[in-house]
Amino acid sequence: MTMKYQDLVRQIEKKQSFLCVGLDTAVEKMPKHLHQTPDAIFRFNKAIIDATHDIAVAYKPNTAFYEALGVAGWQAFEETVLYIKSKYPEMFVIADAKRGDIGNTSERYAKAFFEQLPCDALTVAPYMGSDSVQPFLTFKDKWVILLALTSNNGATDFQFTGEEKKLFEKVLDTSKNWADEQQLMYVVGATQAEMFTTIRKHVPKSFLLVPGVGAQGGSLSEVAKYGMTKDCGLLVNASRSIIYAGSGHDFAEAARAEAKKMQQEMASLLKEYR
Ligand SMILES: O=C(O)c1cc(=O)[nH]c(=O)n1[C@@H]1O[C@H](COP(=O)(O)O)[C@@H](O)[C@H]1O
């Protein structure tokens, strides 16, 4: 199932949620009773997915957590993506891999996530320029999520530099010539809430993937206040604060409770700001 802009808007409307659950799964952080099972990562993810699919609209497995485990980890990544898309095809699946290279190489990255696997979207670092992003955009029914203003402290090192225009503003303005809001989204960290007004001047309609609430301390209500559009235009991600909300046999229910808390706040923010 292809996920178009309007499909995403419909999901948000139906579930009254713009929550993206980050599947940053690490064995040492999951409940002890799962540690010894050979497919611990997938079993953990499956439980979290089954417990949250009706209150979230997206999942974002970050490939680093899977690649760190070699072949077995990548298998768990594949299984997770395939499970989501077969059981809950309406869910938006973001592979968070922050790719981007010379065109000939980006083409292979695109195949890995969009042909070998049915991911809907991929995070991409835009800093090698148009020809490094273009191969991802040739997959017309897939999404590219460009890093614009990231949530970490180091965001100031490069993204905030520049005289008239900051680097992140250049990323937004230049990339608008590559594709529109039907295919391009941007990463803007929740920890940069005061910048959402500026971001919206450059990309008034685009969806923004917003990590940084929960464990990194960003504010959901500030993000909605300054970043929400009439179509919502936000996917707010939380990883650790949801998936590790509990550490016992009831970890999936604990994750659901945490996700539900966020969804309820999202429902009232949708009423207030849209
Ligand atoms: O692209 C991302 O998703 C991302 C960009 C960014 O600026 N900051 C950021 O935290 N992320 C990712 O979002 C997730 C945040 O996880 P938590 O801090 O546990 O909610 C991780 O997978 C990060 O790699």
Side-chain angles (χ1 to χ4, degrees), residues 22 24 60-62 65 96 98 123 147 149-152 187-189 209 211-216 237-241:
D24 295 358
K60 182 175 77 65
N62 184 312
F65 290 81
D96 185 7
K98 301 184 179 67
T123 55
L147 300 182
L149 201 47
T150 57
S151 66
N152 57 322
V187 171
V188 181
L209 171 64
V213 298
Q216 297 177 55
N237 179 84
S239 305
R240 287 165 289 179
S241 58

Side-chain angles (χ1 to χ4, degrees), residues 49-141:
I49 293 159
D50 289 340
T52 54
H53 69 92
D54 59 326
I55 47 178
V57 293
Y59 291 107
K60 182 175 77 65
N62 184 312
T63 53
F65 290 81
Y66 303 86
E67 288 167 330
L69 301 173
V71 174
W74 195 256
Q75 260 164 2
F77 174 75
E78 286 200 350
E79 260 185 293
T80 301
V81 171
L82 291 172
Y83 180 73
I84 301 167
K85 289 312 279 186
S86 63
K87 185 111 190 261
Y88 308 111
E90 77 285 1
M91 298 302 295
F92 190 68
V93 175
I94 302 165
D96 185 7
K98 301 184 179 67
R99 296 299 201 248
D101 205 319
I102 61 165
N104 188 52
T105 306
S106 279
E107 206 180 282
R108 299 291 135 167
Y109 280 139
K111 281 174 183 284
F113 294 99
F114 296 154
E115 267 182 16
Q116 286 296 319
L117 285 170
C119 301
D120 296 297
L122 177 69
T123 55
V124 172
Y127 306 116
M128 283 178 72
S130 61
D131 54 341
S132 73
V133 177
Q134 203 53 46
F136 301 105
L137 293 169
T138 59
F139 288 81
K140 292 293 175 206
D141 55 351

Side-chain angles (χ1 to χ4, degrees), residues 187-199:
V187 171
V188 181
T191 50
Q192 312 276 8
E194 73 282 6
M195 297 308 298
F196 274 77
T197 312
T198 307
I199 298 272

